[in-house]
Amino acid sequence: MEWSGAKRFVIVLLIILNIVLAALNIQQKQDNTMTAAQERAIFEVLSENGITMYTDLKIDAKPMYRLEAKVPSYSKEDLEASIFNGEKTRVSLGTQLIYKTDTKTLTLEGDMGTFIDKSIEKGLKTLTKAEATKIAERKMEEMKRIFGEYTLSYVDRGKEGWKVDFSMIHRDELIFSNKFSFFVSDEGIYQFDFTYCEITGISQEKKDICLTDEALMTFMREWKKRDGDKDAAIQKLELGYDLMEQGSAVAGTGLYLEPCYRIYLMEESEPYLVNAYTCQIVKKNVK
């Protein structure tokens, strides 16, 4: 009888513990999610200041880690297979690492890279946005083995071709600093630029981040300071990671990524970035 009573006591204790943990989880989610009143308030404040929102604010501001990263090293064979479509290259060593064929050049320096294909003419006549996006997506898929999973982030029409941007996905999080920008003409991809660092781990415990309305207020102050009474239209809002601090990039150490909000305007092709830890503008334009 004593053992039976003890078991019942333990079972009841576990049930109570589960209820308490569930309540805490619910409370934490509520603390990290904007209320309907907060959403209405930020829409009203932005509207009063000439800023219109064309996207929702359903982003949970749960605590996030700071990430560690390093500049990667590549094998010549991998680059030739995925970027040069199997063509053999000549390599030049120096401050920059340059791979060349007769018409194609890949230049690597630190975490940045640029690929140029001189055989592809620039210019747009008939290529649609959807067609340019598919061409860039196919090339991104070919390079997945080296650079990982990416998702489409933005498409913009330029004078010489479509600019198609991708951001990396790492454990369901967007990595803004791991970015590919493809430039696509009627004839195909004539150039792409990228920044890429290898995610190596988590540097510290999770920290609270600012809510979406706080990030938007930070953006609003920056916008009013820069453009005064000019109106703005926000068409996209994302939460992810971007490179904040850099140590010895050549050696591949001392790279850190922090959570950021990325705010796209209809009037501009490049987004504003707000550090989600400090709620400060960190880069006005992200290249």
Side-chain angles (χ1 to χ4, degrees), residues 4 63 74 84-85 100 107 126 179 188 207 213 233 255-256 259 262:
S4 178
Y74 307 98
F84 290 89
N85 297 322
K100 281 188 175 182
T107 303
T126 60
K179 171 186 173 182
K207 290 173 57 178
D213 59 342
L255 300 176
Y256 300 101
R262 187 162 63 175

Side-chain angles (χ1 to χ4, degrees), residues 13-227:
L13 186 62
L14 290 173
I15 292 172
I16 294 173
L17 181 61
N18 286 332
I19 293 172
V20 171
L21 290 175
L24 290 173
N25 286 334
I26 293 171
Q27 181 61 48
Q28 184 180 45
K29 183 174 178 60
Q30 290 174 342
D31 292 341
N32 297 327
T33 305
M34 289 178 59
T35 64
Q38 285 175 298
E39 287 194 40
R40 286 194 300 271
I42 189 61
F43 273 100
E44 289 174 4
V45 171
L46 291 174
S47 179
E48 290 169 0
N49 285 273
I51 300 173
T52 307
M53 289 282 297
Y54 290 97
T55 184
D56 60 41
L57 304 179
K58 302 301 183 184
I59 297 178
D60 292 338
K62 61 184 183 296
M64 296 176 70
Y65 292 108
R66 190 186 195 208
L67 301 181
E68 292 179 341
K70 68 176 184 179
V71 173
S73 59
Y74 307 98
S75 76
K76 183 172 181 290
E77 293 75 17
D78 283 344
L79 294 176
E80 289 173 344
S82 62
I83 293 180
F84 290 89
N85 297 322
E87 294 181 63
K88 296 300 180 183
T89 61
R90 305 181 299 276
V91 184
S92 300
L93 299 176
T95 305
Q96 297 177 324
L97 186 59
I98 302 174
Y99 296 80
K100 281 188 175 182
T101 67
D102 291 339
T103 61
K104 302 172 184 176
T105 302
L106 172 66
T107 303
L108 300 175
E109 184 174 6
D111 62 341
M112 297 180 292
T114 296
F115 173 82
I116 296 174
D117 188 345
K118 292 181 180 179
S119 69
I120 304 295
E121 291 290 333
K122 301 177 183 179
L124 282 178
K125 290 183 180 179
T126 60
L127 188 72
T128 67
K129 179 179 179 180
E131 290 168 341
T133 300
K134 286 182 180 179
I135 291 171
E137 286 175 335
R138 283 197 295 268
K139 190 60 182 178
M140 197 75 256
E141 180 68 20
E142 290 175 4
M143 299 190 294
K144 182 170 66 175
R145 186 167 61 88
I146 298 177
F147 298 105
E149 294 282 350
Y150 282 73
T151 186
L152 181 68
S153 61
Y154 197 76
V155 183
D156 185 51
R157 184 186 176 107
K159 293 181 179 179
E160 298 178 319
W162 290 97
K163 180 172 177 280
V164 185
D165 290 342
F166 294 85
S167 293
M168 184 182 186
I169 301 176
H170 175 74
R171 295 184 178 178
D172 297 326
E173 300 283 4
L174 286 171
I175 309 295
F176 299 146
S177 51
N178 283 3
K179 171 186 173 182
F180 276 77
S181 294
F182 291 88
F183 299 89
V184 190
S185 69
D186 284 350
E187 292 193 7
I189 297 170
Y190 60 87
Q191 179 177 334
F192 63 80
D193 303 324
F194 66 91
T195 57
Y196 174 74
C197 54
E198 182 182 344
I199 309 301
T200 57
I202 298 168
S203 64
Q204 61 185 38
E205 294 297 319
K206 287 184 178 180
K207 290 173 57 178
D208 288 335
I209 65 172
C210 62
L211 291 175
T212 313
D213 59 342
E214 297 173 299
L216 287 169
M217 288 294 291
T218 296
F219 158 74
M220 185 190 75
R221 287 190 290 268
E222 178 72 14
W223 176 258
K224 299 298 287 185
K225 182 172 65 177
R226 196 194 84 171
D227 289 290

